[in-house]
């Protein structure tokens, strides 16, 4: 497998530190609100990376943090008249609801800032002891110029950064390029912890350095997140962590591209800011996942209702293929014939194409194309009926590949969900067709369609699908 490494700006062969074991850290949400469609992209993309590595036999330890200490959380607590801790608990619970709707698997560990405060304080003190950080009136800053490789991830040089750098009002840092590791408490209602520098709380960047090294070790295989985190967040993580450990922080850095809304940057002021919770009112979570995987993860992607409708139709084709195979299994019988065994063997080319696409820097767009090619050939192979065993083997292959993508994980709705009254109408329609009373047969079909029930006449009988 090859992945594009932001650090080297090229695709590289992925070789884990330890054979068949992969350690991944992905920056998680700041839990002050429902997460938006832009947040959803890295959650889905790197969940898919994890699923694929596991599919290829790797044991993956996947860490994704929750930032539950932040100015935005403190402001939300003031607005809602609750504590910062209660805000964090509320939106962590909401994260799991929406992530679950997108078929995003919970991380191996979801560490929180509030649960790792002593480790953060110790890390900061160590940086002071090593001469990489300093304290001023309860604030602690990182001396950016002390880290000679600063800018190696983003490509920003110290000279480039100097031109636009300034010290904001209230900041007491020695150099405009320095950044906060610890912030002194400013008001009585701010959440704060005791530290060697007085009451305060961590800066944003320090948490990921601490939690990554704590749960995954000094050097990890992959550090991932959205493109917007490359600078300054990930750049600052590298400076902190490598100054602390003296080792390379991560072997591969992976970043997904931006999302625009109707070809414009997402912005609350423009009124084009959409949370996943908003979108789930109109579209199933699997449709959103399909949409997010339909382009290459490093390419920008545009969100619009038209494109979501296209994703809905694409996913619908997959769902229909699965439903048709389930129907064949329910109504069919018999073992595979030699001809069917040969057809099944021929279908393996699509699995090989799928793996080739995923091995090429997680090219989910081409992987989805391979699945559609598989569906096309399956439909051809079973159009005149098939043995039960052949249908079962085709479904296994379809489930295998779509499972890696996190798609078709929901039941498509079978006859077991259909009421006795509806089954009676279906039977009446069959009798009407036999009696050549096509007017009554069509009337029943239209009546059921109005209730979200679709009937499809197949060689194996009537297939009933409930929307």
């Amino acid at each position: 497998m090859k992945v594009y490494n932001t650090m080297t700006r090229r695709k590289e062969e992925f070789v884990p530190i330890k054979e068949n074991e992969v350690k991944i850290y992905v920056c998680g949400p700041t839990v002050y609100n429902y997460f938006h469609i832009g947040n959803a992209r890295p959650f889905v993309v790197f969940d898919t990376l994890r699923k694929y590595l596991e599919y290829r036999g790797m044991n993956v330890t996947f860490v994704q943090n929750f930032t539950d200490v932040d100015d935005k959380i403190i402001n939300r607590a003031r607005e809602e008249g609750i504590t910062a801790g209660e805000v964090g608990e509320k939106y962590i619970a909401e994260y799991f609801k929406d992530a679950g709707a997108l078929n995003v698997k919970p991380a191996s560990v979801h560490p929180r800032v509030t649960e790792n405060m002593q480790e953060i304080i110790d890390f900061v003190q160590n940086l002071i002891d090593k001469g990489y950080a300093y304290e001023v009136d309860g604030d602690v800053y990182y001396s950016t110029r002390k880290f000679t490789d600063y800018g190696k991830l983003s490509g920003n040089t110290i000279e480039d950064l100097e031109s636009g750098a300034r010290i904001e009002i209230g900041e007491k840092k020695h150099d405009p390029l320095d950044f906060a590791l610890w912030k002194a408490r400013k008001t009585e209602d701010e959440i704060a912890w005791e530290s060697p520098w007085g009451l305060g709380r961590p800066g944003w960047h320090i948490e990921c350095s601490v939690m990554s090294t704590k749960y995954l070790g000094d050097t990890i295989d992959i550090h991932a997140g959205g493109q917007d985190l490359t600078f300054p967040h990930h750049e600052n993580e590298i400076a902190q962590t490598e100054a602390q450990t003296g080792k390379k922080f991560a072997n591969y850095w992976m970043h997904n591209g931006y999302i625009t809304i109707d070809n414009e940057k997402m912005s609350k002021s423009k009124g084009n800011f959409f949370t996943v919770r908003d979108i789930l009112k109109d579209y199933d979570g699997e449709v959103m996942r399909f949409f997010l995987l339909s382009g290459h993860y490093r390419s920008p992607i545009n969100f619009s209702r038209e494109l979501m409708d296209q994703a809905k139709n694409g996913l619908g084709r997959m769902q229909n293929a699965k439903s048709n195979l389930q129907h064949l299994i329910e109504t069919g019988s018999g073992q595979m014939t030699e001809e069917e065994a040969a057809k099944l063997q021929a279908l393996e080319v699509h699995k090989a194409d799928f793996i080739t696409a995923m091995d090429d820097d997680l090219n989910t767009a081409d992987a989805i194309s391979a699945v559609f090619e598989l569906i096309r050939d399956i439909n051809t192979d079973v159009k005149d009926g098939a043995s039960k065993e052949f249908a079962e083997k085709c479904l296994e292959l379809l489930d295998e590949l779509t499972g890696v993508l996190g798609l078709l994980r929901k039941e498509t709705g079978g006859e077991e969900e259909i009421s006795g009254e509806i089954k009676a109408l279906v039977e009446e329609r069959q009798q009407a067709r036999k009696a050549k009373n096509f007017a009554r047969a069509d009337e029943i079909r239209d009546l059921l369609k109005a209730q979200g029930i679709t009937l499809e006449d197949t060689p194996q009988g009537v297939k009933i699908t409930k929307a």
Side-chain angles (χ1 to χ4, degrees), residues 66 68 109-122 202 207 210-211 214-215:
F66 286 123
D68 59 349
V109 186
H110 277 289
R112 308 183 188 189
V113 178
T114 54
E115 295 172 345
N116 291 273
M117 201 56 63
Q118 189 56 53
E119 289 88 346
I120 291 171
I121 291 169
D122 292 344
E207 64 184 76
V210 172
M211 290 188 273
K214 176 181 176 179
Y215 292 98

Side-chain angles (χ1 to χ4, degrees), residues 80-98:
E80 298 191 8
I82 58 179
T83 67
E86 288 170 327
V87 171
E89 287 294 338
K90 173 182 176 180
Y91 288 107
I92 286 171
E94 300 300 343
Y95 164 85
F96 283 116
K97 287 181 186 176
D98 291 344

Side-chain angles (χ1 to χ4, degrees), residues 197-359:
W197 323 287
L199 281 169
R201 57 190 170 86
W204 174 35
H205 313 297
I206 193 68
E207 64 184 76
C208 290
S209 292
V210 172
M211 290 188 273
S212 177
T213 53
K214 176 181 176 179
Y215 292 98
L216 296 172
D218 291 347
T219 302
I220 64 174
D221 293 294
I222 298 171
H223 197 311
Q227 183 180 336
D228 56 312
L229 297 181
T230 308
F231 184 86
H233 185 53
H234 288 164
E235 197 72 73
N236 290 352
E237 278 188 61
I238 291 169
Q240 296 162 164
T241 311
E242 295 190 358
Q244 165 83 318
T245 66
K247 300 174 184 176
K248 188 178 184 180
F249 183 21
N251 285 340
Y252 304 88
W253 289 84
M254 297 178 69
H255 295 92
N256 64 272
Y258 291 112
I259 288 186
T260 56
I261 308 295
D262 292 320
N263 294 310
E264 290 193 338
K265 185 176 179 181
M266 186 165 61
S267 166
K268 287 183 179 178
S269 62
K270 291 181 179 177
N272 66 351
F273 181 91
F274 296 107
T275 66
V276 166
R277 186 64 58 89
D278 292 332
I279 299 167
L280 287 171
K281 293 173 184 175
D282 297 322
Y283 297 97
D284 185 83
E286 283 202 359
V287 172
M288 206 181 314
R289 186 175 181 109
F290 182 99
F291 162 74
L292 291 169
L293 295 178
S294 60
H296 192 279
Y297 78 92
R298 285 192 291 114
S299 300
I301 190 170
N302 183 51
F303 174 87
S304 69
R305 185 166 288 275
E306 179 185 358
L307 291 172
M308 283 293 287
D309 286 340
Q310 289 177 17
K312 184 177 179 180
N313 291 336
L315 182 67
R317 286 173 58 198
M318 288 187 181
Q319 290 169 332
N320 285 339
K322 181 171 182 176
S323 180
N324 289 338
L325 289 170
Q326 288 173 327
H327 180 67
L328 281 170
I329 291 166
E330 289 166 6
T331 59
S333 62
Q335 303 297 306
M336 270 198 298
T337 64
E338 286 186 13
E339 183 183 1
E340 286 177 329
K343 288 178 179 178
L344 186 65
Q345 185 62 39
L347 293 176
E348 289 290 319
V349 68
H350 303 302
K351 177 176 174 179
D353 289 344
F354 179 91
I355 290 171
T356 297
M358 295 294 278
D359 274 352

Side-chain angles (χ1 to χ4, degrees), residues 1 3 14-25 46 49-50 52-54 56-63 108 215-216 219-223 251-252 254:
M1 183 181 188
V3 298
F14 176 66
V15 181
I17 297 166
K18 191 173 181 180
E19 189 176 2
N20 293 329
E21 291 190 16
V22 183
K23 295 179 179 180
I24 303 176
Y25 187 94
F46 298 116
L49 172 66
R50 175 193 187 178
Y52 182 64
L53 291 170
E54 290 174 339
R56 296 304 301 273
M58 304 282 188
N59 180 23
V60 181
T61 306
F62 190 94
V63 177
S108 310
Y215 292 98
L216 296 172
T219 302
I220 64 174
D221 293 294
I222 298 171
H223 197 311
N251 285 340
Y252 304 88
M254 297 178 69

